[in-house]
C-alpha cells in the first residue's frame, strides 16, 4: 500500500476503525426493544463492509463488544453474544467468497467456548484472503490489551529471552493483539458521543476522529463517504510543522 503524502491528500485511509454506537437509542426512538437496534446494527455492519471495499480501504476495524459491555443486563449481553454467533454462521461464507480476511482482537478468556471456536474458525478460513481485512474487536478493551502486552513482555524478561532495556514502543506494539496491522488513520464514532470508550488506545495515538450524529443502524454508504471526505480535508502533521505521510509518522 502506498503511503499518503501531502500530494495525494484525496487517497483513502488505509485503516478505518468504527465505534458502532447508538443501537439502543435507535430502537428507543421507535418504541422498540434495544435488541431490535442491535439486530438492525448487523445490517449496518454489512453495508459498512461492502462500502469499505468499494472505497479501497485495506483494513476496517469494528468495535463489536467492549470489555465494559459485560456491565449491561444479562439478557442484553446474551443477545449480543447470540448476534455474534449468527453473524459468523450466516456471513462467514459470503465474507470469504468476497475475499475478506477476518481478524479478531480482544480477550478470548471470558467468552463461551463455542464462540471462541467460531472466531478461530473465521480467522483460519479467511487467513489467506487479501481483499479487505475486517478486524472485529470483541470483548476488547484498549487498557486490557496494553496490560496483556506488558504481561507477555514481562514473561519474556523473566524467562531470560528479552532484556528489560529492549522494551520500547516497537516491542510493546509487537505484543499487542494484531501487531501486523497498520494503526488506524481514521476513527469514526456514530450516535453523537465523543469519546473513545477504551477503543484502540495505543493504536489511535495519531488517528483522525470523525464523530457523526447518525445512530449506527442508520449508518449507510453516504455517512461513510462523508466521514472519508472529512478525513481527506484534514492535515496530518505527526508532531512536525508540515503535513507528513502517515507511513513515516514514527
Ligand atoms: C452500540 O449501541 C452497540 C454496543 C455497544 C454493543 P448501544 O447499545 O451502545 O446503543 P446506545 O448507545 O445505548 O444507544
Ligand atoms: C462502545 O460503546 C462499545 C461498542 C460500540 C461496542 P458503548 O455504548 O458501550 O460506550 P459508552 O458506555 O457509551 O462509553
Ligand atoms: Mg452506546
Amino acid at each position: 500500500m502506498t503511503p499518503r503524502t501531502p500530494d495525494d491528500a484525496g487517497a483513502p485511509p488505509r485503516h478505518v476503525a468504527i465505534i458502532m454506537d447508538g443501537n439502543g437509542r435507535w430502537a428507543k426512538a421507535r418504541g422498540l426493544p434495544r435488541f431490535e437496534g442491535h439486530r438492525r446494527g448487523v445490517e449496518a455492519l454489512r453495508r459498512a463492509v461492502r462500502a469499505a471495499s468499494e472505497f479501497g480501504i485495506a483494513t476496517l476495524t469494528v468495535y463489536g463488544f467492549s470489555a465494559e459491555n459485560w456491565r449491561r443486563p444479562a439478557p442484553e449481553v446474551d443477545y449480543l453474544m447470540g448476534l455474534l454467533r449468527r453473524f459468523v454462521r450466516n456471513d462467514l461464507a459470503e465474507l470469504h467468497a468476497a475475499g475478506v480476511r477476518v481478524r479478531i482482537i480482544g480477550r478470548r478468556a471470558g467468552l463461551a467456548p463455542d464462540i471462541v471456536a467460531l472466531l478461530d474458525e473465521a480467522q483460519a478460513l479467511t487467513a489467506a484472503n487479501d481483499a479487505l481485512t475486517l478486524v472485529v474487536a470483541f470483548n476488547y478493551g484498549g487498557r486490557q490489551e496494553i496490560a496483556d502486552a506488558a504481561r507477555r513482555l514481562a514473561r519474556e524478561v523473566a524467562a531470560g529471552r528479552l532484556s528489560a532495556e529492549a522494551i520500547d514502543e516497537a516491542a510493546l506494539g509487537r505484543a499487542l493483539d494484531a501487531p501486523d496491522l497498520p494503526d488506524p488513520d481514521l476513527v469514526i464514532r456514530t450516535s453523537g458521543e465523543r469519546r473513545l470508550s477504551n477503543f484502540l488506545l495505543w493504536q489511535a495515538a495519531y488517528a483522525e476522529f470523525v464523530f457523526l450524529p447518525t445512530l449506527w443502524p442508520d449508518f449507510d454508504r453516504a455517512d461513510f463517504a462523508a466521514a472519508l471526505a472529512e478525513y481527506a480535508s484534514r492535515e496530518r502533521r505527526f508532531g512536525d510543522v508540515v503535513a507528513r505521510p502517515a507511513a513515516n509518522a514514527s
Side-chain angles (χ1 to χ4, degrees):
M1 179 70 65
T2 42
R4 285 184 76 237
T5 69
D7 297 331
D8 66 356
R14 286 192 302 175
H15 182 177
V16 176
I18 307 184
I19 303 172
M20 310 183 288
D21 199 13
N23 295 349
R25 278 163 283 168
W26 183 93
K28 191 173 180 213
R30 286 160 182 77
L32 299 168
R34 289 178 60 86
F35 75 80
E36 188 58 22
H38 295 315
R39 197 179 69 77
R40 293 290 293 266
V42 175
E43 291 170 25
L45 171 60
R46 292 187 181 111
R47 284 197 295 275
V49 171
R50 276 196 299 273
S53 294
E54 287 170 27
F55 292 141
I57 291 160
T59 304
L60 176 70
T61 297
V62 294
Y63 206 1
F65 190 88
S66 77
E68 289 74 31
N69 285 147
W70 295 104
R71 293 179 184 149
R72 296 186 178 203
E76 179 164 346
V77 169
D78 289 348
Y79 187 82
L80 290 166
M81 295 296 150
L83 214 50
L84 176 72
R85 287 185 179 96
R86 287 205 296 282
F87 176 68
V88 176
R89 286 190 193 123
N90 294 337
D91 287 50
L92 183 58
E94 200 179 313
L95 290 168
H96 184 43
V100 175
R101 179 170 68 135
V102 178
R103 296 284 295 273
I104 314 295
I105 57 172
R107 280 190 183 157
R108 297 288 205 280
L111 294 174
D114 73 295
I115 289 188
V116 174
L118 274 174
L119 297 179
D120 287 344
E121 180 195 331
Q123 285 201 144
L125 178 71
T126 63
N129 292 345
D130 59 6
L132 168 78
T133 298
L134 173 65
V135 186
V136 181
F138 204 84
N139 193 21
Y140 176 85
R143 288 182 168 186
Q144 290 84 344
E145 184 187 26
I146 294 167
D148 289 350
R151 193 179 323 102
R152 278 177 205 132
L153 294 176
R155 280 201 202 105
E156 293 294 299
V157 172
R161 288 191 291 265
L162 183 70
S163 83
E165 283 65 37
I167 297 177
D168 55 10
E169 283 178 41
L172 202 137
R174 280 194 299 273
L176 296 173
D177 287 359
D180 52 314
L181 299 179
D183 286 343
D185 300 293
L186 168 64
V187 175
I188 300 171
R189 183 169 190 150
T190 56
S191 89
E193 306 295 355
R194 294 167 180 242
R195 54 177 172 263
L196 263 180
S197 301
N198 206 11
F199 189 44
L200 302 180
L201 295 184
W202 177 276
Q203 299 87 339
Y206 264 104
E208 297 294 323
F209 290 86
V210 171
F211 299 103
L212 300 174
T214 310
L215 299 174
W216 178 251
D218 289 330
F219 184 86
D220 62 12
R221 201 177 186 283
D223 293 306
F224 208 149
L228 295 179
E230 169 68 31
Y231 172 83
S233 76
R234 305 267 178 94
E235 187 183 88
R236 304 181 76 192
R237 300 197 195 102
F238 300 99
D240 204 340
V241 293
V242 293
R244 286 176 66 104
N248 297 338
S250 54

